[in-house]
Amino acid sequence: INGKEYYTQVIRRQILFPQKTGTYNIGPVNISLDIPVENGRSSFFFRETKKENTTTNALKLTVKDLPKAHPISFSGGVGSYEMKASVANTSVKTGEAITLRLQIDGDGDPKIVKAPNFKIPNGLEKYEPTTIQDETIVAGDKIMVQKVFEYIFVPSKDTIYSLEPEFS
């Protein structure tokens, strides 16, 4: 600016996950910064600084309600997700367990993502799903989530069943 070179630096990032609908005002935030001073006594290891107080801009945030009509497979996850499904055994006898694993990967609020519900064919006894993996990694301005849910089903009659898990 006007022939002078400036540097920018991210001081702090905050990831927000709204819990309620409405309009919210965030900030402004007052910050005290130590700005390097250019003079002949500064070195690579030591720089003189001067304290500078500044204020961020205020931010107005509107949180909309989730759509009212959603499928039964909606478990609250808001963000960008992908689901992978695998079954341990594709052929079992009556009374033996079928194990289905659903892996959910994406970015969003990790506390909200729950094991999805989906239609179960008649003749299969379903047990409550268990969470066998729950990882959260902060990557820049995103929170990456990986959850793996395990479902156990036991067939009560000898027939072919089709499981069609969904996550939305």
Side-chain angles (χ1 to χ4, degrees):
I1 299 174
N2 296 328
K4 183 161 172 120
E5 191 173 324
Y6 291 88
Y7 300 94
T8 62
Q9 184 174 357
V10 175
I11 297 169
R12 183 177 177 185
R13 290 183 193 260
Q14 198 71 35
I15 298 173
L16 302 176
F17 294 109
Q19 303 296 312
K20 296 188 287 185
T21 60
T23 302
Y24 300 92
N25 293 312
I26 301 173
V29 176
N30 297 318
I31 302 172
S32 179
L33 303 171
D34 290 326
I35 308 293
V37 176
E38 293 292 328
N39 63 26
R41 297 187 314 227
S42 295
S43 70
F44 179 76
F45 295 104
F46 177 75
R47 286 198 131 165
E48 283 190 37
T49 60
K50 69 175 181 174
K51 202 162 274 304
E52 190 80 33
N53 294 318
T54 188
T55 303
T56 67
N57 297 328
L59 176 67
K60 184 175 182 179
L61 182 67
T62 302
V63 178
K64 297 179 181 178
D65 201 4
L66 293 172
K68 297 294 181 213
H70 51 76
I72 63 166
S73 61
F74 179 67
S75 65
V78 177
S80 178
Y81 293 96
E82 181 180 290
M83 180 192 77
K84 296 175 191 164
S86 63
V87 65
N89 38 5
T90 58
S91 180
V92 296
K93 296 178 182 174
T94 303
E96 292 181 345
I98 300 167
T99 304
L100 170 70
R101 284 192 177 184
L102 297 184
Q103 179 176 321
I104 310 291
D105 295 302
D107 66 331
D109 187 352
K111 292 178 253 162
I112 302 290
V113 177
K114 306 283 187 243
N117 287 317
F118 52 93
K119 292 180 183 176
I120 308 301
N122 289 334
L124 279 182
E125 183 179 353
K126 175 187 168 200
Y127 293 88
E128 281 300 310
T130 57
T131 305
I132 60 171
Q133 184 177 346
D134 187 350
E135 292 184 25
T136 303
I137 300 168
V138 177
D141 61 349
K142 292 185 176 184
I143 291 186
M144 304 307 293
V145 177
Q146 183 177 77
K147 290 193 177 192
V148 179
F149 302 102
E150 189 171 78
Y151 297 75
I152 304 287
F153 302 96
V154 178
S156 62
K157 59 182 177 178
D158 185 16
T159 189
I160 295 174
Y161 295 98
S162 178
L163 293 171
E164 297 177 18
E166 294 179 359
F167 177 80
S168 53

